[in-house]
Amino acid sequence: MGERPRTCAACQRVLAAHEVYFRFSLVLEGEQDVLDAPDEADGGHGDALAELVQRLEAGPEDADELEAQVHWERSGVACSECRAVAVRMLTPASENAGPH
């Protein structure tokens, strides 16, 4: 038995055995450098982090849903066309400008 056909993770096209494909691994992680400043009405004495944790615990979202909002990970293969779209989308315009 031969190897199972590969499928592009982006467009779902089945890739022929002779086609070039591209492996990828993508991780998106949410970060925040600074919490919002304490509300002036609070006199700046409130513990903003403790308040945030309390709001999260009281909220309707479960822990898995909250984690999914700050950490997303995928890997797979992409066809040549989808690779070109991804590279174009993730390359800053100044790097991609070329001659005008």
Side-chain angles (χ1 to χ4, degrees):
M1 273 196 153
E3 195 172 311
R4 201 174 78 193
R6 295 189 195 314
T7 302
C8 175
C11 70
Q12 303 304 307
R13 186 169 64 82
V14 174
L15 305 172
H18 67 275
E19 263 185 284
V20 173
Y21 61 90
F22 300 85
R23 291 192 180 279
F24 71 88
S25 179
L26 179 62
V27 178
L28 300 177
E29 295 179 332
E31 295 186 7
Q32 185 175 358
D33 292 334
V34 178
L35 290 176
D36 293 336
D39 196 5
E40 290 301 318
D42 192 16
H45 296 22
D47 185 354
L49 185 56
E51 187 178 315
L52 176 60
V53 170
Q54 188 176 22
R55 279 198 334 253
L56 291 173
E57 288 173 346
E61 301 90 356
D62 67 13
D64 291 337
E65 185 178 331
L66 291 171
E67 182 178 351
Q69 291 177 19
V70 296
H71 183 88
W72 185 84
E73 193 169 326
R74 294 291 183 273
S75 61
V77 297
C79 66
S80 296
E81 292 83 6
C82 290
R83 177 203 177 272
V85 171
V87 168
R88 191 169 51 247
M89 186 174 65
L90 296 172
T91 300
S94 60
E95 285 183 33
N96 208 9
H100 292 11

